[in-house]
Amino acid sequence: MYKHDPDLNQRIWQVVALIPSGKVATYGDVAQHAGLAKAARRVGLALRQLPQDSKIPWHRVVNAQGRISLPNSTVSQYTQRERLEAEGIVFQGNKSLDLEKFRWEPGVR
DNA sequence: ACCCTGACTTATT
DNA sequence: CAATAAGCCAGGG
């Protein structure tokens, strides 16, 4: 898609900003939509660089297993789960969510 | 250019 | 379902 990378983070954040409330996307999905098909890890970095006062819904990004990919015992981890549940996302087994049901897919995969 | 790291992923045990 | 191993890609030292 893009031949240049003016700012990879911005592209990634822009994609994340498209995820609607009540839905989630995997790092892989975001990467693909940003034109980085196999660089899911890069997405994680971008989110980590995201300022806390940002309006980007970073909490709507989870891993391919439908689990929060933030290190345990971190505040952000709680924050993410709280926000997701507040949007109607339900966790099963108290740790993973149903991707089949909440995954956001504007295009194909 | 080389090596290590990581909010990842998929396949295998 | 949890633990491992092997891929993958971009950053940073």
Side-chain angles (χ1 to χ4, degrees):
Chain A
M1 269 302 206
Y2 292 93
K3 311 215 164 197
H4 279 162
D5 297 21
D7 188 350
L8 219 39
N9 283 353
Q10 285 222 350
R11 264 165 50 205
I12 293 174
W13 297 337
Q14 189 175 313
V15 173
V16 175
L18 297 177
I19 307 172
S21 174
K23 290 286 180 177
V24 299
T26 66
Y27 292 89
D29 290 342
V30 175
Q32 180 165 2
H33 294 192
L36 290 169
K38 298 170 185 173
R41 302 183 96 123
R42 186 58 252 277
V43 175
L45 181 65
L47 296 187
R48 194 174 59 174
Q49 314 260 296
L50 199 58
Q52 303 198 328
D53 57 320
S54 174
K55 300 174 181 60
I56 303 298
W58 56 271
H59 56 279
R60 306 202 181 122
V61 183
V62 298
N63 63 30
Q65 299 169 45
R67 303 219 212 106
I68 290 178
S69 207
L70 241 49
N72 294 318
S73 58
T74 60
V75 188
S76 330
Q77 191 195 198
Y78 280 109
T79 307
Q80 175 163 23
R81 174 149 180 179
E82 301 265 308
R83 291 194 187 177
L84 288 177
E85 296 187 316
E87 296 182 348
I89 303 287
V90 182
F91 285 77
Q92 12 176 63
N94 214 341
K95 52 179 172 178
S96 63
L97 58 82
D98 189 344
L99 277 179
E100 292 292 305
K101 186 176 181 182
F102 300 112
R103 190 180 210 169
W104 172 62
E105 34 195 332
V108 192
R109 180 198 168 181

